[in-house]
Amino acid sequence: MKKREEYESEVPQKVRVLTMGVDTQNDRLEWEVVGWGAGHRSWKIDRGIIYGDPAQQQVWDELENIIENNEYEHPEAKMKIYASGIDSGGGRTINVYAFTNPRLHKRVYALKGSSTLDAPEITRRINKDVNHSIRSECLHRFLHIYKI
């Protein structure tokens, strides 16, 4: 990946926080780490693909390892991912919920994209009762889904 600008380190000086976005597909997870600075300025820092069916635990184990352990060089200090959002649309929704719900305290969130262009950037959290859902025994009583 060719950068538009050269940084003095892995993460530009103006970056104050790192976030990760994860797109779910039936055969892989694609992730990207973005650095955020003042005025909503952003920089692409890292990205990757975890191959495998997201219905399988080893895919989520690899993602958790990346979220927990990846560190990026900033001129002032090493930086870790502050928060992660994972796409909960598509065919692996229940697997996303099973991964994110017990990790809310680590700022790992399930995200649901909007079908309209004029939707607000982020809406309120939805508490969804999952008692009727398949495999709900592996989840907490309520899921926390953030509409974006």
Side-chain angles (χ1 to χ4, degrees):
M1 164 171 64
K2 183 157 172 48
K3 297 178 184 176
R4 286 184 165 182
E5 62 182 285
E6 291 299 319
Y7 312 148
E8 66 278 6
S9 62
E10 193 174 19
V11 177
Q13 176 76 34
K14 294 180 180 180
V15 168
R16 293 294 167 243
V17 67
L18 298 176
T19 61
M20 174 188 270
V22 182
D23 182 43
T24 58
Q25 299 294 323
N26 288 338
D27 63 347
R28 68 191 181 282
L29 300 177
E30 296 199 24
W31 57 270
E32 180 177 51
V33 176
V34 176
W36 296 94
H40 301 282
R41 182 142 184 225
S42 64
W43 294 263
K44 291 181 183 179
I45 305 299
D46 196 7
R47 66 180 180 174
I49 299 173
I50 301 170
Y51 291 101
D53 184 345
Q56 303 301 314
Q57 185 59 42
Q58 72 268 14
V59 173
W60 298 104
D61 291 344
E62 189 172 340
L63 179 64
E64 183 163 39
N65 183 53
I66 293 166
I67 292 170
E68 293 285 324
N69 298 314
N70 278 22
E71 291 185 335
Y72 299 91
E73 291 292 331
H74 183 275
E76 296 172 13
K78 290 185 185 235
M79 295 184 77
K80 294 183 72 88
I81 296 165
Y82 178 76
S84 303
I86 303 174
D87 167 33
S88 66
R92 300 296 184 255
T93 303
I94 197 77
N95 303 101
V96 173
Y97 296 162
F99 182 77
T100 59
N101 215 43
R103 292 170 180 80
L104 290 173
H105 68 284
K106 295 181 179 182
R107 295 176 302 279
V108 178
Y109 305 107
L111 304 177
K112 176 73 175 131
S114 175
S115 60
T116 62
L117 292 175
D118 59 345
E121 287 185 27
I122 297 179
T123 60
R124 65 180 173 74
R125 180 179 75 197
I126 300 168
N127 290 328
K128 182 177 179 182
D129 190 340
V130 295
N131 282 341
H132 64 280
S133 297
I134 48 174
R135 295 190 346 184
S136 64
E137 67 276 0
C138 71
L139 304 174
H140 296 285
R141 178 167 166 71
F142 291 97
L143 297 173
H144 303 285
I145 307 162
Y146 293 83
K147 298 278 284 184
I148 58 170

